[in-house]
Amino acid sequence: PQYLAEVGAFRDAILDAKTAIRFVVKNAERYGIDCNRLAVWGSSAGAIIAATLSFVEEEGAGDKEGYAIQNSAVIGLSGAVWPFLVNQVPPARPPAPYFDIHGDEDLLVFPFLAQTTYRYFHSLGVDSSSNRLAIIPGAGHMHPEWKDPEIPKPLYPHIQAFLVDKLALAGHSC
């Protein structure tokens, strides 16, 4: 069988995500968006794509001129940087601040991938306020349709504080 990394599906999805973000940046004024406060949130494959955006150099298709992207924050549920897409050289700019929520019993995106991502960001010099990993004991694969809706509730204040900090939202109404 061919795996996603072998057929380039993750890389293509990351380039598609970059194209979508570039569209938002290009049309920010039209939609009333502050490009200095862009956050990307994903679960499972979406979290892997969001986490890996900073590590794929090509910017994606579409109108690239003058519309570089840099996310202010990334939230992932069962995510990780996809190791097959990380170059051996560090990225040209620091990765976006990353907060991953991961179950310790995740059988789809194994917890060691989240822990490796956390350690990799640390090795790049990303400080602990911009490199967060919450391992949830007894939880499996994280996704928006939680098996137990009570699991994520204690995390909400931490996610909100992370976004307020990284998006510089203190004093702004949300």
Side-chain angles (χ1 to χ4, degrees):
Q2 289 190 330
Y3 296 97
L4 291 175
E6 292 174 329
V7 297
F10 269 114
R11 182 177 179 75
D12 291 346
I14 290 164
L15 295 178
D16 287 348
K18 286 186 169 212
T19 300
I21 294 167
R22 187 168 299 97
F23 173 86
V24 171
V25 170
K26 181 178 178 181
N27 293 284
E29 187 174 332
R30 177 179 179 188
Y31 295 115
I33 296 170
D34 181 348
C35 294
N36 294 314
R37 294 185 171 126
L38 291 179
V40 180
W41 181 302
S43 62
S44 193
I48 292 169
I49 291 164
T52 311
L53 282 170
S54 298
F55 298 94
V56 174
E57 291 181 21
E58 288 182 34
E59 291 292 325
D63 185 6
K64 300 177 194 177
E65 247 356 89
Y67 299 103
I69 64 164
Q70 177 64 35
N71 302 316
S72 300
V74 176
I75 304 289
L77 305 176
S78 288
V81 168
W82 196 243
F84 306 105
L85 292 175
V86 175
N87 295 325
Q88 292 181 340
V89 261
R93 57 183 180 224
Y98 182 55
F99 189 162
D100 185 31
I101 297 108
H102 219 97
D104 71 346
E105 295 179 12
D106 190 336
L107 299 178
L108 296 176
V109 179
F110 298 110
F112 82 87
L113 289 168
Q115 294 161 336
T116 301
T117 297
Y118 176 83
R119 288 184 190 104
Y120 179 58
F121 276 43
H122 181 75
S123 76
L124 294 174
V126 178
D127 68 83
S128 61
S129 74
S130 295
N131 181 21
R132 307 281 308 274
L133 174 60
I135 300 286
I136 311 302
H141 194 63
M142 301 288 184
H143 51 82
E145 293 84 36
W146 305 86
K147 290 178 188 173
D148 179 355
E150 296 301 312
I151 289 176
K153 286 184 181 177
L155 293 170
Y156 293 162
H158 300 283
I159 295 169
Q160 182 179 13
F162 181 79
L163 289 172
V164 165
D165 178 39
K166 300 308 166 194
L167 301 178
L169 295 173
H172 295 273
S173 60
C174 297

